[in-house]
Amino acid sequence: MASGVDGEVFEQLVSTVDRFARERLIPAERRVEEEDNIPDEIVAEMKEMGLFGLSTPEEFGGIGLNVPQEARLIEALCYASLTFRSLIGTNVGIGSQGIVMDGTPAQKEQWLPGVASGDVIAAFALTEPDNGSDAGGIRTSARKDGSDFLINGTKRFITNAVRAELFTVFARTDPNEPGAGGVSAFIVPANTPGITVAKPDSKLGQRGTKTSDVIFEDVRVPESAIIGGPVNLNCGFRTAMRVLDRGRIHVGAMAVGQSQRMLDIATDYALTRKQFGKPIGEHQLVQGLLADCQAELHAARALVRASADTFDREGKAIIEASCTKYFCTEAAGRIADRALQIHGGAGYMTEYDIERLYRDIRLLRIYEGTSQIQQLVIARRTLTQRAD
Ligand code: COS
């Protein structure tokens, strides 16, 4: 297994995070929902525990987990609300991994220690008003001006933009190449003149997470801001895709953590709620719902672990990552639906946690590539593998 931290140290970390999720984060969930914000003291505790630097290599001050370890830890953290994961998610994943994977030594030196400590929040700016799934079609431009680039365009739904010190921005550097081949990835400090972060979006769920539009108007960056340096001009799409591959395993692990939580809640309810003179868990149709949740949860967890192992062994896992994100998040949607159904009318009431989890989980099938994009990646690669 590549890199990662020592087994015993890792097991301790998992049990610390598991306890933190159950004893500290879950009791704070309602407050986060009401205030639409994560309390400062919890942010400080997450920093203290090193959660922002889970995947940052140790030489830059992070914990340096490998992908299977990251997946297990994220599963444990996501037993609590997905909102808490969102706070660290861009630093652990999409906001920083471009630099970890493809950055120059100087870029890593400059940015990764702050990312690892949580003092620098990194955001991933790919999606645009007119380009979500069609990531290769982005319109934000980075026009050459002397040895600098001027970035112009709008990015949409950017997680942690209001908190960000650093944006990984994908922009078209070759105006004559309309597809993936004309895109470069830039590291842009959030305080660069010309950047405006709009007010946070209002969403269906995951209250306390912050997503916003980010507007770039003549934002001047040197060519050394290209991830990997000027030699990587027009190579940014590949960086984005590689970052998303790893991210899709991470999202699968999130889905598993939340699925376990929802199944536990539904099981507790089935054990205590009585109808027709006995706990509803003794009725076979309710047992069928529980069994389907448990079977899918087992399959999802096994798939995350297998894909993470492949990524660790081979340095990539494109088809596996898409299968994982697709299956685990769709399964989580079905588990949420059954868990709510087991609650009957109570499941629809905000007084019970399942109503909130049901709304929160919905986003998993959309971000970091919709289910339909995963189907497309899986099918295209299945066809080309067989044809080769
Ligand atoms: N790893 C490395 N390289 C990859 C790759 C991957 N996972 N996926 C694609 N590439 C490369 C391809 O090999 C190709 O290179 P060549 O031109 O040298 O052959 C290039 O990138 C373009 O790939 P492709 O032709 O498949 O690009 P498309 O424009 O057809 O788009 C999809 C591919 C749809 C899969 C891509 O746009 C995508 O993943 N969209 C979803 C984006 C997303 O997840 N958004 C969420 C927002 S971020 S939270």
Side-chain angles (χ1 to χ4, degrees), residues 127 133 135 237-238 241 244-245 248 318 368-369 380-381:
T127 300
S133 292
F237 185 78
R238 219 173 271 249
M241 290 300 115
L244 286 171
D245 283 341
R248 287 166 183 169
I318 300 175
E368 298 200 29
R380 277 189 192 170
R381 288 188 182 258

Side-chain angles (χ1 to χ4, degrees), residues 97-177:
Q97 280 298 312
I99 303 175
V100 174
M101 288 177 181
D102 291 337
T104 63
Q107 289 169 341
K108 292 180 184 179
E109 200 65 56
Q110 182 180 358
W111 292 108
L112 293 183
V115 164
S117 68
D119 291 334
V120 169
I121 299 291
F124 182 78
L126 175 68
T127 300
E128 300 181 349
D130 294 323
N131 290 88
S133 292
D134 182 9
I138 60 174
R139 296 199 193 155
T140 292
S141 65
R143 185 169 50 79
K144 196 105 172 87
D145 186 51
S147 63
D148 295 340
F149 284 89
L150 287 176
I151 302 179
N152 281 285
T154 299
K155 296 292 180 179
R156 180 141 293 175
F157 310 143
I158 305 307
T159 302
N160 286 333
V162 285
R163 302 173 167 128
E165 301 255 335
L166 156 70
F167 291 105
T168 305
V169 182
F170 295 86
R172 186 162 304 285
T173 32
D174 183 350
N176 300 317
E177 164 53 79

